[in-house]
Amino acid sequence: MSAVAYRVEGDVAVLTVDAPPVNALGLAVRQGLLAGLDRAVVDDAVAAVVLICAGSTFIAGADISEFGTAKALAEPRIRTIQDLLEASSKPVVAAIHGTALGGGLEVALACHARVAVASAKLGLPEVKLGLLPGAGGTVRLPRLVGPEVALDMITSGAPIAATRALELGVIDVIVEDLEAGAIAYAAGLATDGAPLPVMARDERLRDVDPALFADYRLKVGKKARGQIAPFRIVDCVEAACRLPGAEALAFEAAAFAELLASDQRKGLVHYFFAEREARKIPGLPTDLAPQPIRKVAVIGAGLMGGGIAMVFANAGIAVTLVDVGQEALERGLGVIRKTYAASVARGSTPQAKADRALALIHTTTDYAELRDVDLAIEAVFENMGVKQAIFARLDAATPAHAILASNTSGLDIDAIASATLRPERVIGIHFFSPANVMKLMENVRGAQTSPEVIATVMALGRQLGKVPVLAGNCDGFIGNRMLQYYSGEAEFMLIEGATPEQVDRVAESFGMAMGPLAMRDLSALDLNTVVRAARREAFPDERCTLIVERLVEAGRCGQKTSKGYYRYEGRTRLPDPEALAIIEAHSRELGVARRAFSDEEIRDRLFMPLVNEGAKELEEGIALRAGDIDVVWVNGYAFPAHRGGPMFWGEQMGLDKVAAMAERLAAANGERWAPGPLLRRLAETGRGWSAVGEVLAELRGEMQVA
Ligand code: 3H9
């Protein structure tokens, strides 16, 4: 059966693409489109053509899974189909519902007109995959909407709504009944007989001010954090304004090929699939329906609790915010109101939406009001006794079906669950701060958490617009457990001779939003000293430094005291000789000779320990897949998505190098830094993360024999 059905209604041929899940332009769809168009062109009974899709969406782009395979290069290519569309003397109308994305929108732009339903969205999201629109998007879109709007759309990758697309002229009309509307529109064009527009041949963009592109490059430079694609997009749109259509298309094709071969594209495409894979939990019954969550309680009206309440209210779910006193509730609600007001003022949330969300947040000090909630999330400070007491109260106050969740960032979920009579309905839901902004939702399964609860919370993540990942229960779960090695090495390198600016510069040029030391300054150094003392006690034989303690003793608690690793003028961070003197004095105190560091060494010492600890999480089943760890780090710790995540990056660097680094760091820092059996075996045998299952089985087998 062809992926594209052909039928004729009156004198209009209707080509229906039917290639679930998203009608991507894989080889079969391209072949079907070519066959359908060829047939319509020669069919004397056909005066016009409609291109429409079955299922939930219009063509959502090229088939990403074909990238790098022979199929992607096989004819007919997308451009061949577009040539045919533009050469057709019979009008072709794209009928759009769902999302017309990437190559999908590019095919629609090569049609002679576009009709859409009001709920449709259109966009060129290739930049999110480290690419640019490679099927004429940078040439046709600027001709249709002008270079500024095209640059905004293509460099952001954000889709626009049909109403906006109509205003801009990307679509010609919004209809209610898509197929009937498109057929009528196409028939009208045929009867009208007016010359058909061919965007790629349109030469109207000759007088664009070149300063636009210089400005845009500066703008992109501020946001792009080391990414190549946004700059190449500007180059292409500029070329589209300078060159005749055919030459601009050739320019775009060359730039697309360059990006397709780039590591950044590989990293981002890996990330795309990893995010989707992370939603799938092996072992859960496939027919398990998630429980509906209509009403939730959030315990703790602090910054975290308030942010969580906003997440639910934004998704239209009623929230009861609970705290011990009226004053705490008022304060919490005040912060929530301020956050909404700021977001309305910025233009990112419409007033009506903020009002609707605020109206869904109700406050109380009385647990008796929780008798009809479906989920309660505790978000108080990290103290096991306090959390257990709250869970015991929640167990008594909430209905039997309610899920009880803790937002702990590292405490033992089983110990928390033990305070209840329903440990199977207890789970960790770890939001990252600020919860209303950060995308990651690290869900932590306890030993007894039921499959239904896991399925519900994973589905809830998507409903809330978050990126859910399932973690096992251990100190720090997936993300924070790894973090200590990253910040630990940052500190050791300071003692050995690197400066805070150098360490942070390397991390930031790698693509991290903020270097590890600047990050610590932001989150307050004094708050960190308690955890550090506990860790020194737990691992007395491990290497440690007292840099943070020395800085705090000198009144340097980070941004809040305007000095820490740096000094701050407002929010501007500046190198500070005083901080360096404290660090140098501590090097002397520890008897460590200071030396120069290369950027490469700093990079490897910062990021390779993450990979090593990630491998141990895989070994212990804390993370289900290496990709899950990548998703956690990209969304919870601003690890650059264009590097694919720490595990993908580590594999690109070579797991043998990662293991060798772990050996060296274990000798210097302590046994916890050593590679585990999984990483050792992968490194020795030259295998990658895709072999984790098989290597773990081998290792288990060997243990049994031994
Ligand atoms: C491009 O077009 C290049 C051209 O310019 C030039 C070429 C020369 N291909 O996200 P979901 C799968 S680049 C293959 O969960 P939703 C996805 O993996 C492309 N597979 O659904 C998942 O599979 P599974 C530009 C794809 O409803 C399933 O579909 N286009 C593709 O939340 C459902 O996906 C884009 O970047 C694809 N293009 O969201 C659009 N897209 O079920 C990327 C999806 O096995 N896609 N899959 O896990 C999206 O943004 C969302 O998937 C979409 C649906 C909004 C369409």
Side-chain angles (χ1 to χ4, degrees):
M1 233 181 65
S2 167
V4 181
Y6 183 95
R7 70 176 213 280
V8 180
E9 292 280 328
D11 61 356
V12 178
V14 180
L15 307 188
T16 306
V17 180
D18 188 0
V22 296
N23 294 315
L25 287 164
L27 181 57
V29 170
R30 302 196 306 270
Q31 284 167 337
L33 282 173
L34 184 75
L37 285 171
D38 276 344
R39 189 167 160 191
V41 167
V42 297
D43 188 340
D44 289 337
V46 167
V49 182
V50 163
L51 169 56
I52 194 166
C53 291
S56 59
T57 182
F58 189 75
I59 301 166
D63 186 335
I64 302 169
S65 64
E66 278 186 359
F67 288 166
T69 70
K71 271 190 175 176
L73 302 175
E75 284 289 352
R77 314 269 297 261
I78 302 177
R79 285 176 174 234
T80 308
I81 293 162
Q82 291 172 314
D83 289 344
L84 203 64
L85 286 168
E86 291 193 326
S88 165
S89 57
K90 299 178 183 178
V92 185
V93 173
I96 299 171
H97 76 297
T99 44
L101 298 177
L105 178 55
E106 291 174 292
V107 164
L109 290 175
C111 293
H112 304 107
R114 287 151 295 281
V115 305
V117 288
S119 58
K121 293 204 166 96
L122 301 90
L124 294 171
E126 287 87 344
V127 69
K128 296 183 186 166
L129 299 172
L131 286 169
L132 50 81
T138 69
V139 179
R140 292 186 180 90
L141 191 65
R143 281 166 162 70
L144 200 55
V145 300
E148 284 102 328
V149 174
L151 281 168
D152 284 347
M153 276 183 70
I154 309 175
T155 57
S156 74
I160 55 169
T163 41
R164 175 78 180 133
L166 184 63
E167 275 166 30
L168 291 170
V170 179
I171 58 173
D172 299 273
V173 64
I174 291 181
V175 293
E176 270 185 25
D177 182 331
L178 186 61
E179 190 172 278
I183 291 174
Y185 200 85
L189 287 180
T191 324
D192 190 31
L196 295 171
V198 175
M199 215 101 58
R201 273 185 240 137
D202 194 322
E203 302 299 347
R204 80 182 98 157
L205 278 174
R206 283 304 173 79
D207 300 319
V208 177
D209 180 1
L212 168 70
F213 302 104
D215 289 352
Y216 218 89
R217 284 190 179 95
L218 286 177
K219 196 166 151 187
V220 160
K222 287 191 190 132
K223 284 198 209 146
R225 287 207 283 132
Q227 291 184 63
I228 324 163
F231 291 99
R232 302 301 281 136
I233 289 167
V234 182
D235 295 345
C236 286
V237 176
E238 185 178 40
C241 295
R242 185 167 42 86
L243 300 172
E247 285 175 41
L249 283 173
F251 187 96
E252 182 198 77
F256 181 81
E258 178 205 321
L259 292 180
L260 192 64
S262 72
D263 286 343
Q264 298 199 355
R265 191 280 295 170
K266 289 176 195 141
L268 284 160
V269 167
H270 158 78
Y271 176 77
F272 176 87
F273 286 117
E275 185 182 310
R276 281 151 184 84
E277 193 68 15
R279 298 174 195 151
K280 297 170 192 152
I281 309 303
L284 288 194
T286 44
D287 57 349
L288 195 60
Q291 178 186 323
I293 302 290
R294 298 188 189 91
K295 193 166 180 197
V296 305
V298 177
I299 318 301
L303 263 189
M304 201 65 206
I308 297 173
M310 290 175 71
V311 170
F312 283 94
N314 290 344
I317 298 174
V319 189
T320 303
L321 189 57
V322 187
D323 213 314
V324 282
Q326 205 50 47
E327 208 181 299
L329 286 171
E330 276 309 314
R331 214 178 19 247
L333 204 55
V335 174
I336 293 175
R337 284 203 193 97
K338 250 197 204 153
T339 312
Y340 276 122
S343 145
V344 169
R346 259 199 323 273
S348 43
T349 307
Q351 185 68 53
K353 189 173 174 215
D355 292 344
R356 264 199 311 277
L358 264 170
L360 283 168
I361 304 176
H362 159 78
T363 60
T364 186
T365 54
D366 186 1
Y367 276 61
E369 289 191 36
L370 309 187
R371 71 182 79 82
D372 59 350
V373 299
D374 304 304
L375 164 71
I377 303 187
E378 160 278 313
V380 306
F381 56 96
E382 295 286 61
N383 176 297
M384 181 56 81
V386 174
K387 287 187 193 277
Q388 284 179 329
I390 289 174
F391 270 72
R393 282 185 82 182
L394 286 174
D395 198 22
T398 59
H401 78 273
I403 296 172
L404 306 183
S406 171
N407 180 58
T408 177
S409 57
L411 294 182
D412 183 352
I413 294 298
D414 292 330
I416 295 174
S418 71
T420 73
L421 296 175
R422 56 176 114 172
E424 74 289 350
R425 306 200 71 71
V426 175
I427 192 165
I429 301 185
H430 180 204
F431 288 97
F432 284 64
S433 186
N436 52 313
V437 176
M438 298 292 283
K439 287 268 180 220
L440 182 63
M441 190 167 147
E442 191 183 31
N443 300 323
V444 188
R445 81 203 299 173
Q448 297 186 59
T449 310
S450 76
E452 190 207 1
V453 168
I454 293 172
T456 300
V457 169
M458 291 301 287
L460 179 67
R462 291 204 67 200
Q463 191 187 340
L464 298 176
K466 297 290 178 194
V467 176
V469 177
L470 188 65
N473 184 24
C474 68
D475 184 12
F477 316 134
I478 292 179
N480 282 346
R481 167 169 164 170
M482 291 160 72
L483 185 65
Q484 51 179 301
Y485 296 91
Y486 172 68
S487 29
E489 264 307 286
E491 214 172 291
F492 295 145
M493 286 190 281
L494 289 186
I495 287 298
E496 291 168 33
T499 63
E501 306 82 87
Q502 195 186 3
V503 171
D504 283 344
R505 179 180 50 73
V506 171
E508 286 162 16
S509 61
F510 181 83
M512 298 298 286
M514 196 184 254
L517 301 165
M519 193 67 207
R520 274 203 172 161
D521 268 356
L522 183 67
S523 61
L525 297 180
D526 50 337
L527 295 182
N528 200 226
T529 52
V530 182
V531 181
R532 292 165 62 86
R535 196 166 293 144
R536 281 197 299 277
E537 205 170 304
F539 304 104
D541 299 332
E542 238 173 50
R543 182 184 189 189
C544 70
T545 87
L546 294 175
I547 296 186
V548 171
E549 289 69 16
R550 295 286 181 268
L551 290 168
V552 172
E553 279 159 25
R556 309 182 71 98
C557 297
Q559 272 203 35
K560 67 176 181 184
T561 53
S562 300
K563 47 190 187 170
Y565 286 105
Y566 298 90
R567 71 185 176 83
Y568 293 85
E569 282 177 13
R571 295 177 71 182
T572 311
R573 79 177 194 235
L574 298 160
D576 191 350
E578 251 177 64
L580 193 59
I582 293 173
I583 294 166
E584 286 169 348
H586 194 47
S587 299
R588 283 194 296 278
E589 199 182 334
L590 295 174
V592 178
R594 295 179 66 78
R595 64 173 174 91
F597 272 83
S598 71
D599 287 0
E600 192 183 323
E601 182 180 0
I602 292 179
R603 180 199 64 193
D604 292 351
R605 281 185 58 177
L606 282 177
F607 296 110
M608 286 189 178
L610 291 179
V611 187
N612 181 38
E613 194 59 19
K616 290 182 187 170
E617 293 179 358
L618 290 172
E619 210 165 81
E620 294 167 28
I622 295 299
L624 290 169
R625 291 153 288 231
D628 290 16
I629 301 175
D630 290 334
V631 175
V632 163
W633 270 78
V634 166
N635 293 286
Y637 303 83
F639 192 96
H642 64 264
R643 302 220 183 244
M647 304 303 272
F648 183 81
W649 173 81
E651 190 168 7
Q652 303 285 103
M653 297 302 291
L655 296 184
D656 53 339
K657 293 199 181 71
V658 174
M661 170 67 81
E663 298 284 8
R664 279 202 299 282
L665 294 183
N669 302 347
E671 249 324 280
R672 274 199 315 149
W673 298 71
L678 171 65
L679 180 63
R680 277 206 178 99
R681 179 63 58 89
L682 288 171
E684 281 158 14
T685 56
R687 283 177 285 182
W689 302 126
S690 62
V692 166
E694 120 200 352
V695 169
L696 288 179
E698 276 168 33
L699 293 170
R700 269 194 299 273
E702 289 162 22
M703 267 175 62
Q704 273 161 12
V705 171

